[in-house]
Amino acid sequence: MSASRRRLVAAAALLAAPAVWRGAIAQGRLVPTPAQTEGPFYPVALPADSDADLLVQGSRRYGRGQPAWLAGTLSDVDGRAVAGAQVEIWQCDQDGHYHHPGDGGRADPAFQGFGRVTVGSDGRYRFRTIRPAPYGGRTPHIHLKVKLGPQELLTTQVYVQGDPGNARDFLWRRLDERGRAALTVPFVPGADGLQANFAIVVPV
């Protein structure tokens, strides 16, 4: 096929696409990360230790479950880092309990259960935690929230690729194919624990 012919075919495909797709193709914009429910166990009171390491709570060390790193980038739809934004995660301990009065205060005190980091100019964030555990009929997941000042930009959940509980989970099943691909990531073995990469895109 000649170069001129290829250009004509590409132009025809662009014109045939819906307007929103044409804008995304023309501008190279990214698709925002799907939102999901906050759930009932967002902390009522934040732990005194609310840093990026959920396996250390004061002088305590949490030794249950599989240590894991959840890391990635935070950007807007144009691929620019959202510097100054905060990424928060919260999850249950290995026995399926949250640090929340609605869960009966049964969470292991050694597990921090909540972490928060501020994104720098490179857009990167990183948490040390455990591979999420199932609880109460839910498949393993990590809750995640993005804030910029007083504004909440995103609340969602991160799932484990290949976990057999996904197909039975009512929230995971509500996602379309693209949403599942965006929120479901592999937790792969690494030198210092499992590694999971989760890219976040917010419409700011």
Side-chain angles (χ1 to χ4, degrees), residues 27-54:
Q27 300 175 32
R29 307 189 90 195
L30 302 174
V31 177
T33 301
Q36 284 208 305
T37 178
E38 179 178 281
F41 297 129
Y42 183 82
V44 173
L46 299 184
D49 189 355
S50 297
D51 62 6
D53 191 345
L54 279 66

Side-chain angles (χ1 to χ4, degrees), residues 85-187:
Q86 292 185 324
V87 179
E88 300 178 346
I89 65 169
W90 67 103
Q91 67 185 102
C92 65
D93 64 17
Q94 186 63 25
D95 292 323
H97 301 307
Y98 284 86
H99 288 291
H100 192 281
D103 200 22
R106 296 173 292 171
D108 192 318
F111 184 56
Q112 188 171 299
F114 173 91
R116 174 189 286 160
V117 296
T118 299
V119 174
S121 59
D122 62 356
R124 296 192 174 276
Y125 72 92
R126 194 181 193 210
F127 292 97
R128 182 173 180 243
T129 184
I130 59 171
R131 182 192 190 278
Y135 75 92
R138 290 297 318 278
T139 195
H141 61 279
I142 296 174
H143 295 268
L144 185 145
K145 187 183 292 286
V146 179
K147 297 178 178 178
L148 184 60
Q151 184 181 8
E152 290 190 4
L153 303 181
L154 175 70
T155 299
T156 194
Q157 300 182 29
V158 185
Y159 299 93
V160 180
Q161 187 178 93
D163 193 282
N166 291 344
R168 300 188 298 270
D169 188 85
F170 72 102
L171 287 178
W172 190 87
R173 289 172 61 185
R174 288 179 185 173
L175 294 165
D176 60 18
E177 185 174 349
R178 185 192 66 80
R180 292 175 183 177
L183 300 185
T184 311
V185 297
F187 281 67

